[in-house]
Amino acid sequence: MIVKADASEFPGRAPQWHPRYVVTNAGGSPQRLYERIHCLRGDVENRVKELEHGMRMDRASCSSFAANRFRAPLAAAACVIMQELRWQARDTPLRKRRVDGLRLGLPKPIVLRVPRMAPFRDARVVVARGLGAVPI
């Protein structure tokens, strides 16, 4: 059995204890078992929660099975993109945010470059400006 005890202290408040217990039959040093196995497993579980709740992978609100089945890989792809954004933000205060926090915390600039000879170019520009786009 491995026991880890932490305490959080805030001014004017009593300390809060955070004991953690790990019971295992695996061999090795307690520190290695806790840091390299138990904590990493918890991190994986947190990523699954982000996928379910932050990217709404658990949602099955479409009326057809095929549409709901298609939602899962889209949510997984969105989560991969958000993980990459978190990696790119590793030197900023956003590095510890969950994916839903990143989604809400990052600005969403979109650059739309329409070739001069593109079909329906004028219509695309009108629609983009109607959505709030500004020319660069």
Side-chain angles (χ1 to χ4, degrees):
M1 180 186 323
I2 302 168
V3 178
K4 181 179 180 188
D6 292 345
S8 301
E9 291 192 51
F10 297 100
R13 293 165 62 182
Q16 290 187 340
W17 291 95
H18 306 287
R20 293 173 180 87
Y21 303 94
V22 179
V23 178
T24 181
N25 61 358
S29 75
Q31 183 172 358
R32 181 187 170 281
L33 286 172
Y34 182 78
E35 292 174 356
R36 297 289 181 164
I37 296 173
H38 181 71
C39 290
L40 292 179
R41 190 198 76 213
D43 191 51
V44 169
E45 289 176 5
N46 289 337
R47 299 294 82 77
V48 171
K49 285 180 189 175
E50 285 184 340
L51 189 59
E52 288 178 356
H53 303 297
M55 294 286 113
R56 306 283 190 240
M57 186 172 178
D58 60 341
R59 197 169 159 194
S61 57
C62 296
S63 59
S64 74
F65 176 78
N68 285 324
R69 188 177 66 184
F70 186 64
R71 291 175 71 99
L74 286 179
C79 198
V80 168
I81 292 169
M82 296 307 287
Q83 293 296 335
E84 178 63 23
L85 286 174
R86 180 187 289 146
W87 173 252
Q88 295 299 325
R90 66 188 175 276
D91 297 329
T92 72
L94 297 174
R95 72 182 171 277
K96 296 211 180 226
R97 286 213 178 169
R98 297 186 323 239
V99 293
D100 52 345
L102 279 175
R103 191 180 68 226
L104 297 172
L106 290 173
K108 294 147 187 82
I110 298 174
V111 177
L112 178 67
R113 298 181 195 273
V114 181
R116 292 179 191 208
M117 300 306 292
F120 305 108
R121 181 186 190 284
D122 295 334
R124 291 179 191 189
V125 169
V126 168
V127 170
R129 288 195 177 146
L131 292 171
V134 294
I136 296 177

